[in-house]
Amino acid sequence: MRLMMVLAVMLQVQVMNAQADAAYVPTAENLAARESFMNDRFGIFIHWGLYSMFGHGEWYQYKEDIDYREYQKGMDAFYPAKFNADEWVKFLKDCGARYITITSRHHEGFSMWDTDQSKFKITNTPLGRDVLKELADACARHGMKLGFYYSHIDWHTPDYPVGKHGKMLGRENKPNWARYYTFMNNQLTELLTGYGKVNCIWFDGMWEHGGEAEPFDWQLDEQYKLIHRLQPACLVINNHHEAVIPGEDVQTWERDLPGENKNGHAGMDMGALPLETATTMCDHDNWGYDLSEYGKFRSSKELIQLLVRTAAKDANLLLNIGPRPDGKIPEEAMERLHDIGSWLKVNGETIYGTRGGSIGDGEHYVSTTKGKHIYLHFIKGGLKEVSFEVDGQVASIVPLGSNQKIEFKQKGREVKMKVMYPSTATDYIVDVVLK
């Protein structure tokens, strides 16, 4: 009897898994987009909205408990006249970025395009311009992929059903989910039909209803279907800090490398989808422009090593910048990005188009792979000799960009080699070539 019960449960699980798998079958265009995404390895996250004007990050309204009617008055003074989409895109492309993901509408509810669904939008500011359209056109001109962050939360409209972790911010407690859901899908339709090819829709905010006695139904299935129907190759990414949900195309980690949970946002298991790590240049909570971050940026060396560690985890790095309210990128961010770009111009072959490697201790060195090449990235001093296993025979081992061969011994799958590199090196790269 117990065996029959176990078999019955196993059969039920298999049926449920099959149903989940059958719920979303990615198209050929989508699978190609996933592969292209994995090859890109480096993208830029842009958090820009009305909040930039206050200089205290994107959560300013929430943290200061500002009434939404008072907050929206800031719209009358928002005038990012120095914004130049072509300058942004050309600079970011020169810095080695392969795609951009920008906030179309963050939690504050302010839309950065000329939406027909709300008056709380960029074209009703003194600027009067559709900055997302300008950016989309610039990306098309310069061969840069563009995706849109879109918040499931809205601090501006009373239609949004405030969750366990939310605040009313002066709104009446009269939620209308059906109307809000339609509003969101109408906005997504605008972005997916009027702004060219969209690389991804990057959702955020589901966690506001986390831990509630009765799980909130976000109706993601229909929303994801809408996206894939309008643009099959558009990647659905959701920063919900949970296991992958059917219909998603990429699994993202916030401020952590895939599989890690040092910042407490990512306790979920790693799925089989392409991976991404989204993080800031500074070690603080804010993603939008913050006056206090001046002088607190991580070093270029640390950020380059973060890119290397992320690629070694078989993931992309989505590195954030928070433009100023005048539309310019902060100087310190530009300096760091310039340094990353200079490094990628020399070492990009060990990042772009690679897959994560299994060789390395994770602290002193990690690895990426491409074809018959295994790139060993030594990012911390202290090692004099390493041993590792490979599938096949090693033809040669050389420092990247050098013809000077490194001596090694191979016995079966095990390879031993001596290493000599400066302890202060950003990344000493060794190219292990298989026959």
Side-chain angles (χ1 to χ4, degrees), residues 335-346:
E335 291 170 4
R336 301 303 189 275
L337 289 171
H338 177 270
D339 290 345
I340 293 172
S342 297
W343 184 87
L344 281 168
K345 286 179 175 68
V346 177

Side-chain angles (χ1 to χ4, degrees), residues 5-199:
M5 291 178 63
V6 171
L7 290 173
V9 170
M10 290 177 63
L11 178 60
Q12 184 179 11
V13 170
Q14 289 175 352
V15 170
M16 291 174 63
N17 288 340
Q19 289 174 340
D21 292 339
Y24 173 52
V25 179
T27 62
E29 301 101 308
N30 188 276
L31 293 174
R34 294 183 187 190
E35 187 73 12
S36 178
F37 177 86
M38 293 175 70
N39 290 336
D40 290 338
R41 282 300 178 235
F42 182 42
I44 296 297
F45 214 176
I46 299 177
H47 274 69
W48 195 38
L50 189 60
Y51 46 81
S52 68
M53 193 173 65
F54 305 105
H56 292 285
E58 72 288 355
W59 279 74
Y60 172 67
Q61 180 189 4
Y62 184 93
K63 290 179 178 178
E64 297 301 322
D65 204 10
I66 299 172
D67 187 290
Y68 81 100
R69 288 160 294 196
E70 194 66 25
Y71 186 82
Q72 72 181 8
K73 293 177 183 177
M75 185 173 68
D76 297 331
F78 190 40
Y79 188 60
K82 294 182 180 180
F83 168 69
N84 185 306
D86 285 292
E87 285 183 2
W88 273 22
V89 176
K90 286 191 288 186
F91 171 72
L92 296 176
K93 186 173 183 178
D94 187 61
C95 294
R98 295 289 178 89
Y99 62 98
I100 295 170
T101 302
I102 186 170
T103 50
S104 63
R105 187 182 68 104
H106 205 270
H107 310 328
E108 65 180 359
F110 183 73
S111 297
M112 293 294 284
W113 78 99
D114 190 23
T115 178
D116 290 333
Q117 310 305 314
S118 172
K119 294 181 180 179
F120 192 45
K121 59 182 179 178
I122 186 73
T123 48
N124 283 339
T125 67
L127 183 71
R129 289 157 47 191
D130 187 335
V131 297
L132 290 195
K133 187 68 170 78
E134 292 179 23
L135 187 61
D137 291 345
C139 284
R141 282 192 292 271
H142 301 292
M144 176 72 80
K145 298 175 184 176
L146 178 65
F148 298 121
Y149 167 111
Y150 189 86
S151 174
H152 274 125
I153 296 173
D154 193 315
W155 296 332
H156 185 259
T157 175
D159 286 344
Y160 171 70
V162 176
K164 177 181 178 181
H165 307 290
K167 292 181 180 180
M168 294 309 300
L169 301 173
R171 293 166 293 172
E172 290 185 85
N173 190 16
K174 294 182 179 180
N176 188 323
W177 169 249
R179 190 161 57 196
Y180 182 67
Y181 185 69
T182 299
F183 161 80
M184 287 194 296
N185 288 343
N186 286 344
Q187 285 207 315
L188 290 170
T189 298
E190 289 179 348
L191 293 172
L192 290 161
T193 57
Y195 292 79
K197 185 176 181 180
V198 177
N199 186 48

Side-chain angles (χ1 to χ4, degrees), residues 52 91 105 119 159 183 191 221 224 234 240 248 278 280 330 333 349 362 381 429:
S52 68
F91 171 72
R105 187 182 68 104
K119 294 181 180 179
D159 286 344
F183 161 80
L191 293 172
D221 183 57
Y224 289 176
C234 181
H240 45 48
E248 295 170 0
T280 57
E349 69 181 86
I429 306 173

Side-chain angles (χ1 to χ4, degrees), residues 43 86 96 98-99 122 147 150-151 240 260 276-277 286 293 311 337 357-358 388 409 413-414:
D86 285 292
R98 295 289 178 89
Y99 62 98
I122 186 73
Y150 189 86
S151 174
H240 45 48
E260 297 182 359
E276 180 185 66
T277 284
N286 289 333
E293 69 186 9
L337 289 171
S358 59
F388 51 89
K409 294 180 180 180
R413 298 180 66 238
E414 185 182 34

